[in-house]
Amino acid sequence: MATSASDLLESRILLYYCFTPIEDPIAVMLWQRTLCEQLGLTGRIIVSKHGINGTVGGKLGSCKQYTRKTREYPGFARMSFKWSEGGAKDFPKLSVKARDEIVAFGSPDEIKVDANGIVGGGTHLKPEAVNKLVEERGDEVVFFDGRNAMEAEIGKFKNAIVPDVNTTHDFIAELESGKYDDLKDKPVVTYCTGGIRCEILSSLMKNRGFKEVYQIDGGIVRYGEKFGDQGLWEGSLYVFDKRMHMEFSNDSKQLGHCIHCEAPTNLFHNCINEECRKQQLMCDDCASNPATAHCGRAECAEVGAQMAASSL
Ligand SMILES: [Zn+2]
Ligand SMILES: [Zn+2]
């Protein structure tokens, strides 16, 4: 393929994952690291015996070459890449690692993959099929948030159940707690940002007796691209880059509130206490005043008060 001017001038970010058996994750990790270094891509890639998960950025031409070279590995031939605005500047460095899991649910030995992906996961639904299911089955359908509870504070599917999890590691205990046993005979639609977390979550749910489990193809991102704020999604989408959140249209509902003064906001701020840094929803006024720029814990409030006093 010839190199065009735009290949050199423009930049992009690639987001992708693929579940496929990988004999030797270390070898794939080393190959991916060399490939990215040669192409000048930065970002983050994790390889495990179950597959690969990555976000990389760089010149448009380099991204094109990366997708071509990566698909040469037979297990990755069917991998789809999501292209988005941005580039190498969005990532401080290149990190390519081999781990036990590409998403840390703490279940590396429970997940089974074959050449078609995860074995025994939830049925994939395209965005249109999600709406059709709800039209046909009505209130029986339950949306189940596959993200960290914090992410749902600013946006979620209508009437979704938001499990009490701080990280994906908490899901198994949550599913086994008995809290959701009444959902085991209902149609449950799991969703997460781009779909990868639900690939695993939906299979963990099926293994624990949830009989009718679905997952949204391409996650909230693809659903939002299709229906914006005119469908079953409400609010903002939490994103893992410096934007922190995104909206699908100007009509998006504002679900979040400042933890200090209740003012509507969809922006998370780090706690002012350097040793905490917990992200909490705060309005701009509260976040810009050291006395209120804390996460709410007593020790952090004290740090904030001290900083406020010393800045007088
Ligand atoms: Zn406030
Ligand atoms: Zn704090």
Side-chain angles (χ1 to χ4, degrees):
M1 201 190 285
T3 303
S4 69
S6 63
D7 284 350
L8 296 170
L9 291 168
E10 292 179 30
S11 295
R12 289 290 188 282
I13 293 175
L14 295 170
L15 300 101
Y16 53 94
Y17 69 82
C18 183
F19 286 97
T20 189
I22 295 182
E23 271 310 307
D24 189 346
I26 306 262
V28 170
M29 178 268 280
L30 294 171
W31 160 59
Q32 282 285 308
R33 183 184 288 160
T34 306
L35 179 61
C36 289
E37 283 170 355
Q38 283 169 348
L39 294 169
L41 300 177
T42 56
R44 186 167 171 270
I45 299 171
I46 298 174
V47 182
S48 83
K49 64 182 175 180
H50 301 135
I52 188 169
N53 178 22
T55 311
V56 296
K59 291 269 175 277
L60 176 57
S62 302
C63 288
K64 286 180 183 170
Q65 282 193 54
Y66 176 80
T67 60
R68 236 179 3 253
K69 292 279 182 199
T70 296
R71 284 198 187 108
E72 283 175 11
Y73 182 79
F76 299 156
R78 66 189 160 82
M79 182 145 64
S80 67
F81 291 88
K82 179 152 184 61
W83 294 78
S84 102
E85 297 300 318
K89 63 181 186 328
D90 291 291
F91 307 100
K93 59 186 174 71
L94 175 68
S95 160
V96 188
K97 294 202 163 96
R99 293 245 176 92
D100 284 344
E101 298 174 284
I102 53 176
V103 190
F105 275 83
S107 58
D109 299 322
E110 183 178 334
I111 299 302
K112 301 278 173 277
V113 297
D114 66 16
N116 299 311
I118 292 213
V119 178
T123 306
H124 287 86
L125 295 179
K126 296 235 179 325
E128 298 85 346
V130 173
N131 289 6
K132 190 152 174 276
L133 181 73
V134 173
E135 269 163 37
E136 287 170 2
R137 312 273 297 269
D139 290 344
E140 199 195 349
V141 180
V142 178
F143 285 97
F144 195 87
D145 205 302
R147 302 171 300 161
N148 306 328
M150 180 192 111
E151 297 170 58
E153 289 174 17
I154 58 170
K156 59 189 177 66
F157 274 87
K158 249 171 220 162
N159 303 320
I161 288 175
V162 179
D164 184 18
V165 299
N166 289 319
T167 74
T168 44
H169 250 291
D170 301 334
F171 268 111
I172 290 185
E174 190 72 1
L175 291 175
E176 292 176 351
S177 69
K179 282 192 228 174
Y180 309 106
D181 285 359
D182 58 319
L183 307 183
K184 287 186 174 173
D185 295 311
K186 290 188 174 181
V188 177
V189 180
T190 63
Y191 66 89
C192 61
T193 314
I196 184 170
R197 289 180 273 184
C198 291
E199 297 272 6
I200 297 167
L201 175 64
S202 66
S203 86
L204 297 177
M205 290 179 86
K206 288 183 72 179
N207 290 350
R208 282 160 184 76
F210 294 80
K211 295 185 190 75
E212 191 178 353
V213 184
Y214 301 93
Q215 52 183 321
I216 303 181
D217 234 8
I220 301 161
V221 169
R222 191 165 303 156
Y223 187 90
E225 283 169 358
K226 182 75 198 177
F227 293 110
D229 294 298
Q230 308 302 315
L232 301 164
W233 171 259
E234 289 182 335
S236 303
L237 173 61
Y238 182 90
V239 291
F240 295 86
D241 59 42
K242 53 194 174 200
R243 293 172 300 167
M244 304 289 286
H245 65 90
M246 59 163 287
E247 287 70 42
F248 293 113
S249 77
N250 294 328
D251 299 330
S252 75
K253 257 196 185 178
Q254 197 156 38
L255 301 190
H257 293 279
C258 174
I259 60 160
H260 298 297
C261 73
E262 295 282 313
T265 180
N266 47 20
L267 196 53
F268 286 93
H269 292 270
N270 289 315
C271 175
I272 194 165
N273 181 0
E274 289 291 344
E275 269 140 47
C276 172
R277 307 303 282 166
K278 184 177 179 350
Q279 289 186 342
Q280 290 279 22
L281 284 174
M282 292 180 213
C283 70
D284 288 340
D285 285 347
C286 291
S288 58
N289 177 357
T292 48
H294 60 82
C295 70
R297 292 193 308 158
E299 57 199 282
C300 299
E302 204 169 302
V303 171
Q306 280 167 11
M307 291 176 77
S310 67
S311 68
L312 288 177

